[in-house]
Amino acid sequence: MHRHKLFHDHLIRHGRHGWGGRGERHGERRGRFGRFFGHGDLRTVILALLEAQPRHGYELIKELEDRTGGAYRPSPGVIYPTLALLEDEGRVRQAGGETGRKLYEISDEGRAELDRDRTVVEALFARMEDAGRHAGPGRPRVERALANLQMALKTRMARPVSAEELDRIVGMIDDTASSIERT
């Protein structure tokens, strides 16, 4: 079975084909964890980024995060299957690169698809730029710090904790929240 068929089946099973899993239509964003791109938009953005220069999957993830000011960071579980699908469809190809890291470049078929969608590409890049302006320069750093805190709490709470230790942990979190509010 082709990789794009497996990816399509995955999308169907997880409610991401046609209608979103939480009742939103593709392209609508609901809250902090809503969809950033509508159905098919990510593939178009990936093609446009690869048209500018060949990239590894990780570089695509970082570029999308940078362009949106941290408002959107696709997971490897989204980027790599999309690249595999685009490769199966002949829209991208591997361009060599370091051992163990696949470098992708756009193909003539991918350029032809982009040429048909230039206005969509421009609108998507404008949306990403707008998100980046509204996200502010510190958002990725704050999200990283929150992820560190969450991991530290998860690790600590996996071990036995006394009532006194729990009070101290909760106090530190409350003190930090109060300090942030006063800043």
Side-chain angles (χ1 to χ4, degrees):
M1 187 179 302
H2 289 294
R3 285 181 285 187
H4 71 276
K5 173 71 171 123
L6 291 172
F7 183 56
H8 179 264
D9 292 347
H10 169 80
L11 293 177
I12 296 292
R13 276 193 311 276
H14 295 283
R16 294 185 182 108
H17 187 74
W19 286 88
R22 291 176 304 280
E24 74 269 17
R25 295 173 90 162
H26 282 287
E28 290 181 11
R29 185 166 179 162
R30 290 177 45 137
R32 180 168 177 248
F33 298 105
R35 296 179 56 85
F36 189 86
F37 289 119
H39 183 69
D41 290 345
L42 180 61
R43 78 180 266 127
T44 302
V45 169
I46 288 173
L47 286 173
L49 291 174
L50 292 177
E51 182 181 43
Q53 72 181 62
R55 299 173 199 259
H56 299 282
Y58 177 75
E59 292 170 318
L60 289 167
I61 292 169
K62 289 300 295 169
E63 184 69 19
L64 286 162
E65 181 181 29
D66 290 346
R67 285 179 180 246
T68 62
Y72 177 68
R73 179 186 169 95
S75 70
V78 170
I79 289 293
Y80 291 106
T82 303
L83 284 168
L85 175 65
L86 289 168
E87 186 177 14
D88 285 349
E89 293 175 349
R91 303 300 196 262
V92 302
R93 62 179 165 260
Q94 291 184 36
E98 305 159 24
T99 306
R101 292 183 67 194
K102 296 178 183 178
L103 183 68
Y104 292 92
E105 65 184 2
I106 194 168
S107 68
D108 292 337
E109 292 86 357
R111 271 191 196 83
E113 182 176 322
L114 274 183
D115 287 340
R116 290 188 300 271
D117 293 334
R118 285 294 169 194
T119 56
V120 171
V121 171
E122 290 170 12
L124 289 169
F125 277 91
R127 183 166 164 221
M128 290 166 48
E129 184 180 326
D130 186 52
R133 274 194 310 273
H134 288 94
R139 183 174 176 162
R141 292 176 56 204
V142 169
E143 288 183 357
R144 180 198 45 78
L146 283 172
N148 287 344
L149 175 61
Q150 183 178 16
M151 183 57 71
L153 283 169
K154 184 177 181 179
T155 301
R156 179 59 189 99
M157 298 308 289
R159 299 186 320 256
V161 63
S162 70
E164 296 81 25
E165 291 169 325
L166 183 59
D167 288 342
R168 194 168 45 247
I169 291 169
V170 169
M172 285 187 285
I173 294 169
D174 288 340
D175 290 345
T176 301
S178 294
S179 295
I180 291 169
E181 287 176 352
R182 288 189 304 268
T183 302

